[in-house]
């Protein structure tokens, strides 16, 4: 995933510090938990997870961004496995339909395509079965 693609998707343009703070506050306001993940005491990823989405009362992976230096090293997969392991039920994720590379990443991490939703903008919905 290209950082610019994520920034464009979330902000519509390159953000300034205030945009990032507003973004985090908005998602925390609906119950998202932001976490910074570390490896050897260095930050390697950030996630936002919503435990009970208003849409289906299930857990959703809202955001996962891996440090570009750490990509293709299994960090994203490890983080997702930790998140899924903490949940009792399935975990959902949604991506813009046009983001094929993101789709491939989620598939490699154990997510399965579930549905396409949205009116004006289409989203591909994924589900990660919890095997506990």
């Amino acid at each position: 995933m290209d950082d610019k693609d994520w920034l464009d998707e979330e902000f519509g343009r390159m953000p300034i510090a205030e945009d990032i703070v507003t973004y985090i506050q908005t998602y925390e306001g609906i119950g998202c938990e932001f976490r910074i993940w570390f490896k050897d005491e260095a930050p390697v990823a950030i996630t936002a997870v919503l435990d009970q989405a208003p849409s289906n009362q299930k857990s959703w992976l809202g955001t996962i961004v891996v440090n570009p230096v750490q990509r293709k090293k299994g960090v994203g997969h490890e983080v997702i496995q930790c998140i899924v392991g903490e949940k009792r039920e399935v975990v959902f994720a949604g991506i813009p339909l046009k983001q094929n590379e993101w789709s491939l990443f989620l598939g490699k991490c154990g997510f399965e395509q579930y549905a396409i939703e949205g009116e004006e903008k289409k989203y591909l919905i994924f589900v990660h079965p919890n095997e506990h």
Side-chain angles (χ1 to χ4, degrees), residues 12-54:
R13 60 183 169 75
M14 294 299 287
I16 55 173
E18 292 82 17
D19 289 338
I20 293 172
V21 170
T22 301
Y23 174 83
I24 291 171
Q25 288 172 338
T26 298
Y27 282 94
E28 282 181 336
I30 62 168
C32 268
E33 176 188 18
F34 283 84
R35 289 167 74 177
I36 298 174
W37 298 80
F38 293 86
K39 187 172 186 175
D40 300 326
E41 299 183 20
V44 293
I46 186 167
T47 57
V49 176
L50 183 59
D51 278 335
Q52 290 190 335

Side-chain angles (χ1 to χ4, degrees), residues 24-102:
I24 291 171
Q25 288 172 338
T26 298
Y27 282 94
E28 282 181 336
I30 62 168
C32 268
E33 176 188 18
F34 283 84
R35 289 167 74 177
I36 298 174
W37 298 80
F38 293 86
K39 187 172 186 175
D40 300 326
E41 299 183 20
V44 293
I46 186 167
T47 57
V49 176
L50 183 59
D51 278 335
Q52 290 190 335
S55 60
N56 64 0
Q57 303 304 306
K58 305 289 183 196
S59 295
W60 281 75
L61 172 64
T63 299
I64 179 168
V65 179
V66 176
N67 180 331
V69 174
Q70 295 295 327
R71 292 185 186 151
K72 311 277 188 208
K73 297 180 180 179
V75 170
H77 186 267
E78 288 178 34
V79 166
I80 286 174
Q81 295 312 308
C82 285
I83 291 169
V84 169
E86 294 171 355
K87 306 301 173 195
R88 292 188 197 112
E89 297 182 1
V90 298
V91 176
F92 287 83
I95 63 168
L97 191 58
K98 65 181 180 180
Q99 294 294 355
N100 189 46
E101 187 176 349
W102 299 1

Side-chain angles (χ1 to χ4, degrees), residues 61 64 74 76-82 84-85 89-93 101-114 125-131:
L61 172 64
I64 179 168
H77 186 267
E78 288 178 34
V79 166
I80 286 174
Q81 295 312 308
C82 285
V84 169
E89 297 182 1
V90 298
V91 176
F92 287 83
E101 187 176 349
W102 299 1
S103 173
L104 295 173
F105 167 72
L106 289 174
K108 288 178 183 177
C109 292
F111 280 88
E112 300 170 3
Q113 293 182 15
Y114 178 73
I125 307 302
F126 289 83
V127 63
H128 192 297
N130 192 324
E131 298 163 3

